[in-house]
């Protein structure tokens, strides 16, 4: 049992203030965030770039007179599995890396965390000692452990073993397929669990279970692209769908209508993943799509979005305004929700009343009043917005502006002293203005209410372990859209190859943005009913960087490939 207070950083905190590396006010802000998120102080300091991982380690080395150890010098495979207790490791942000002469050494970025030493010592009846390591390397090892251990889950069989068991079980049970209890179907349960844990390990965003006439396939969406991961016998389609419906608390007898539900997958005592489930009757059976809503894995820090320094400043300035409208636009799956939630997390203070209308609620934000839209009972975006305006709001977020009624209420709120955030499905910032006009909003309302428009895409990041340099001539670079200034400053291009540490040469995603601020010139163009092209040209003359050039800049830095630039921007 873990008894100590998690992440007690009083020793490190006092030392940082005494050394004047942080002011008392700055430290209070960081400590508050660490407490709110249940994370160690050092992790938050590094993530927020108050200190770099190396600076924090060097400070601890000098302050506490401990040598800085290199995690690469230790083979964690030599540690007995029973000492790699994930509840203690995640709770204390400390990892056993060496057992020598009955002393268990813990890799830690905060050597003042005495509670970690005491809890590990009590659990395993061993003397414990601290090894000082860099926070960044410790975090990377922690993520590796969580993947290897399945975040605390271990299964006895591989997917192939489960398929064999399912096929054998099928021979005995298929005749009674309509009377099968998914709760008691052990091979099905084990197979589904393995599929789900593999999806979490591979950081998939969606799972697709798809029945066809002669085959059945399971696909994961990883970094925005679907990949086939399994193809169980087509005869199992009904039983797999039934098991998923039982887990999502859906009606297993209803196979003619779509259904929506949720699954909470418990990975360990301290970690779980919420899943949104949708079933769809198709010609050959029910297709089931599951969206993984891993709130813990979604870091809502503005540094993680991929904005340039200039773009980040524009977004933060718009968030600090007392009224106006911020719109985030792009196709489905372009990261709009995370951008909005990041803004809301920045605004989430005890002094602000924040209400959101969402369909669906994807990330839970304590301190924010989140409302799930339910058209079946008449609770639409417009209805929720009207209710919000009677609730003394400061900040309102509406998941999507879909119709004129919602747009009119949102504009009214933005003009009467409220900050409004929302999304639209358009391809560029300029097209957002013309879309609102086509909905029927008067031009003067559009020009007077909108503060900022963010158009965005998500691009797959190149795997740093296997990317290969790509050489192009100055003429080819110019044809692609690289400006002479970009070429003069130095461009390093890479192509994707593929290795065992990535998926087809890519690992992770980053945002690509086009940010338009409302100006007098743009407002005048809107009032004169100018088209999207004229508005875009004027915005670029005022300094806006287009989506294409934002993507090319990331390619020039070696973050994404030219193929990915063309995929997301055309």
């Amino acid at each position: 049992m873990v008894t100590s207070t998690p992440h007690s950083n009083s020793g490190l905190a006092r030392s940082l203030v005494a050394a004047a590396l942080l002011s008392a006010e700055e430290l209070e802000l960081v400590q508050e965030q660490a407490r709110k998120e249940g994370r160690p102080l050092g992790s938050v300091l590094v993530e927020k770039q108050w200190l770099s991982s190396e600076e924090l380690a060097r400070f601890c080395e000098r302050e506490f007179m401990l040598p800085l150890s290199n995690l690469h010098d230790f083979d964690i495979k030599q540690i007995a599995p029973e000492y790699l207790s994930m509840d203690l490791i995640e709770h204390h942000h400390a990892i056993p890396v060496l057992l020598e002469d009955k002393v268990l050494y813990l890799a830690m970025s905060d050597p003042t965390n005495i509670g970690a030493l005491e809890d590990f010592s009590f659990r395993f009846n061993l003397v414990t000692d601290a090894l000082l390591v860099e926070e960044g390397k410790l975090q990377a090892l922690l993520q590796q452990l969580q993947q290897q251990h399945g975040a605390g889950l271990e299964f006895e069989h591989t997917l192939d073993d489960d398929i064999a068991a399912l096929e054998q079980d099928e021979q005995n049970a298929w005749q009674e397929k309509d009377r099968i209890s998914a709760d008691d179907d052990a091979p099905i349960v084990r197979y589904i669990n393995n599929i789900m844990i593999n999806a979490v390990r591979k950081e998939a965003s969606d799972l697709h279970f798809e029945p066809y006439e002669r085959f059945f396939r399971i696909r994961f969406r990883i970094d925005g692209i679907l990949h086939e991961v399994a193809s169980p016998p087509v005869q199992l389609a009904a039983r797999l769908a039934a098991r998923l419906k039982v887990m999502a608390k859906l009606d297993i007898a209803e196979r003619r209508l779509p259904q929506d539900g949720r699954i909470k997958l418990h990975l360990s005592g301290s970690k779980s993943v919420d899943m949104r489930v949708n079933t769809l009757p198709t010609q050959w059976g029910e297709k089931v799509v599951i969206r993984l809503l891993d709130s813990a894995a979604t870091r809502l820090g503005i540094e993680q979005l991929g904005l340039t320094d200039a773009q980040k400043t524009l977004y933060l300035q718009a968030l600090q305004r007392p009224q106006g409208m911020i719109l985030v636009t792009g196709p489905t799956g372009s990261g709009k929700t995370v951008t909005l939630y990041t803004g809301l997390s920045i605004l989430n203070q005890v002094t602000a009343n924040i209400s959101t209308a969402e369909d669906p609620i994807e990330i839970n934000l304590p301190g924010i009043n989140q409302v799930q839209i339910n058209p079946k009972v008449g609770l639409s975006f417009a209805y929720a917005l009207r209710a919000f305006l009677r609730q003394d709001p400061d900040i309102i977020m509406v998941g999507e502006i879909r119709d004129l009624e919602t747009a009119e209420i949102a504009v009214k709120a933005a003009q009467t002293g409220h900050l409004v955030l929302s999304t639209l499905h358009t391809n560029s910032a300029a097209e957002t203005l013309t879309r609102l006009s086509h909905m029927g909003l008067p031009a003067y309302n559009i020009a007077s209410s909108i503060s900022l428009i963010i158009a965005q895409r998500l691009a797959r990041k190149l795997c740093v372990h296997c990317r290969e340099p790509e050489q192009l001539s100055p003429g080819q670079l110019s044809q692609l859209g690289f400006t002479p200034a970009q070429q003069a400053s130095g461009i390093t291009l890479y192509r994707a190859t593929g290795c065992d540490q990535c998926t087809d040469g890519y690992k992770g995603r980053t945002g690509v943005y086009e940010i338009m601020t409302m100006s007098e010139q743009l407002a005048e163009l809107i009032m004169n009913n100018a088209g999207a092209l004229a508005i875009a040209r004027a915005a670029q003359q005022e300094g806006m960087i287009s989506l294409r050039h934002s993507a090319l800049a990331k390619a020039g830095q070696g973050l994404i490939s030219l193929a990915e630039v063309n995929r997301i921007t055309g």
Side-chain angles (χ1 to χ4, degrees), residues 163-184:
I163 283 293
L166 282 169
E167 289 177 322
Q168 179 63 41
D169 189 57
E170 188 69 16
Q171 295 176 6
N172 303 324
W174 183 248
Q175 297 299 323
E176 302 178 64
K177 60 181 181 297
D178 291 328
R179 289 177 287 147
I180 289 172
S181 169
D183 281 327
D184 299 329

Side-chain angles (χ1 to χ4, degrees), residues 57 141 294 341 371 375 437 442 473 483 493 533:
L141 180 58
D294 189 357
Y341 276 123
V371 175
S437 178
S473 68
T483 64
L493 300 175
L533 284 176

Side-chain angles (χ1 to χ4, degrees), residues 226-534:
L226 284 169
H227 302 269
E228 185 171 332
V229 296
S231 183
V234 68
Q235 309 94 283
L236 301 177
R239 296 174 65 192
L240 290 169
R243 171 58 189 168
L244 291 168
K245 288 165 72 174
V246 167
M247 294 176 71
K249 297 180 173 60
L250 301 177
D251 182 359
I252 62 173
E254 177 55 76
R255 302 174 185 173
R256 300 166 299 172
L257 296 173
Q259 297 186 67
D260 292 290
R262 294 178 87 93
I263 296 172
K264 181 178 282 291
L265 180 65
H266 294 281
L267 302 176
S268 68
S270 61
K271 181 176 174 62
S272 62
V273 177
D274 287 323
M275 300 182 175
R276 191 176 75 238
V277 182
N278 176 265
T279 68
L280 179 70
T282 68
Q283 183 179 7
W284 306 109
E286 286 184 285
K287 174 179 177 177
V288 182
V289 174
I290 300 176
R291 167 67 57 88
L292 273 65
L293 309 173
D294 189 357
S295 298
T298 305
R299 296 296 184 194
L300 296 179
I302 197 167
E303 304 297 338
Q304 280 69 51
L305 293 180
L307 295 162
T308 66
D309 289 342
Q311 291 172 336
K312 182 171 63 177
T313 299
L314 291 174
Y315 190 24
L316 290 174
Q317 287 175 345
L319 289 171
Q320 297 308 314
R321 292 175 181 170
Q323 67 180 53
M325 186 183 298
I326 299 173
L327 296 175
V328 183
T329 182
T332 300
S334 60
K336 300 187 298 294
T337 300
V338 172
T339 300
L340 281 181
Y341 276 123
T342 299
L344 289 176
S345 68
I346 293 171
L347 296 168
N348 189 10
Q349 305 293 331
V350 70
T351 55
N353 177 21
I354 306 176
S355 296
T356 71
E358 305 175 56
D359 185 21
I361 297 172
E362 296 198 14
I363 301 173
N364 294 321
L365 292 176
I368 291 179
N369 309 291
Q370 296 176 270
V371 175
Q372 171 67 56
I373 294 305
N374 188 355
K376 293 180 181 178
V377 298
L379 183 55
S380 63
F381 282 121
Y383 197 101
L385 276 174
R386 287 197 187 92
F388 290 166
L389 293 174
R390 296 191 293 270
Q391 289 269 314
D392 184 31
D394 297 300
I395 299 159
I396 294 171
M397 192 271 272
V398 54
E400 183 183 349
I401 294 178
R402 298 175 179 173
D403 51 51
L404 177 59
E405 183 183 15
T406 305
E408 287 176 336
I409 302 170
V411 164
K412 177 183 176 182
Q415 291 174 332
T416 55
H418 307 93
L419 181 63
V420 179
L421 295 83
S422 190
T423 72
L424 275 87
H425 285 89
T426 58
N427 292 323
S428 69
E431 288 178 45
T432 302
L433 297 170
T434 56
R435 173 68 59 82
L436 291 172
S437 178
H438 293 161
M439 278 186 182
L441 276 181
Y444 63 86
N445 277 345
I446 298 173
S448 63
S449 61
I450 292 177
S451 304
L452 189 80
I453 301 175
I454 302 175
Q456 69 177 80
R457 303 288 188 275
L458 283 179
R460 292 178 295 169
K461 292 196 294 185
L462 285 164
C463 173
V464 296
H465 301 285
C466 64
R467 63 182 184 179
E468 292 182 350
E470 186 172 8
Q471 300 295 332
L472 294 179
S473 68
Q476 290 173 312
L477 292 174
S478 298
Q479 189 174 9
L480 286 167
F482 285 103
T483 64
Q486 287 176 312
Q487 295 183 46
S489 64
I491 294 173
T492 305
L493 300 175
Y494 293 90
R495 69 166 68 91
T497 55
C499 67
D500 57 1
Q501 299 192 50
C502 64
T503 304
D504 299 334
Y506 299 96
K507 187 171 180 62
R509 290 191 288 180
T510 185
V512 176
Y513 300 90
E514 172 182 279
I515 297 187
M516 176 189 291
T517 56
M518 187 58 64
S519 66
E520 291 184 6
Q521 182 183 0
L522 294 183
E524 186 176 341
L525 287 172
I526 295 169
M527 295 296 290
N528 292 328
N529 296 316
L533 284 176

Side-chain angles (χ1 to χ4, degrees), residues 60-129:
C60 290
E61 183 181 34
R62 294 191 306 270
E63 183 72 15
F64 305 115
M65 302 178 66
L66 284 174
L68 181 60
S69 300
N70 189 342
L71 272 178
H72 297 302
D73 294 338
F74 302 96
D75 185 3
I76 200 168
K77 295 178 182 177
Q78 301 300 320
I79 294 290
E82 60 263 26
Y83 297 130
L84 297 176
S85 178
M86 292 307 295
D87 63 327
L88 285 178
I89 289 172
E90 292 176 340
H91 181 79
H92 287 298
H93 208 64
I95 303 176
V97 292
L98 179 66
L99 180 60
E100 189 174 73
D101 297 330
K102 295 186 178 180
V103 178
L104 187 64
Y105 291 91
L106 307 179
M108 306 164 62
S109 62
D110 175 12
T112 69
N113 187 359
I114 304 303
L117 299 173
E118 292 176 345
D119 280 354
F120 274 93
S121 178
F122 179 80
R123 173 77 62 90
F124 303 114
N125 194 28
L126 289 169
V127 177
T128 55
D129 202 356

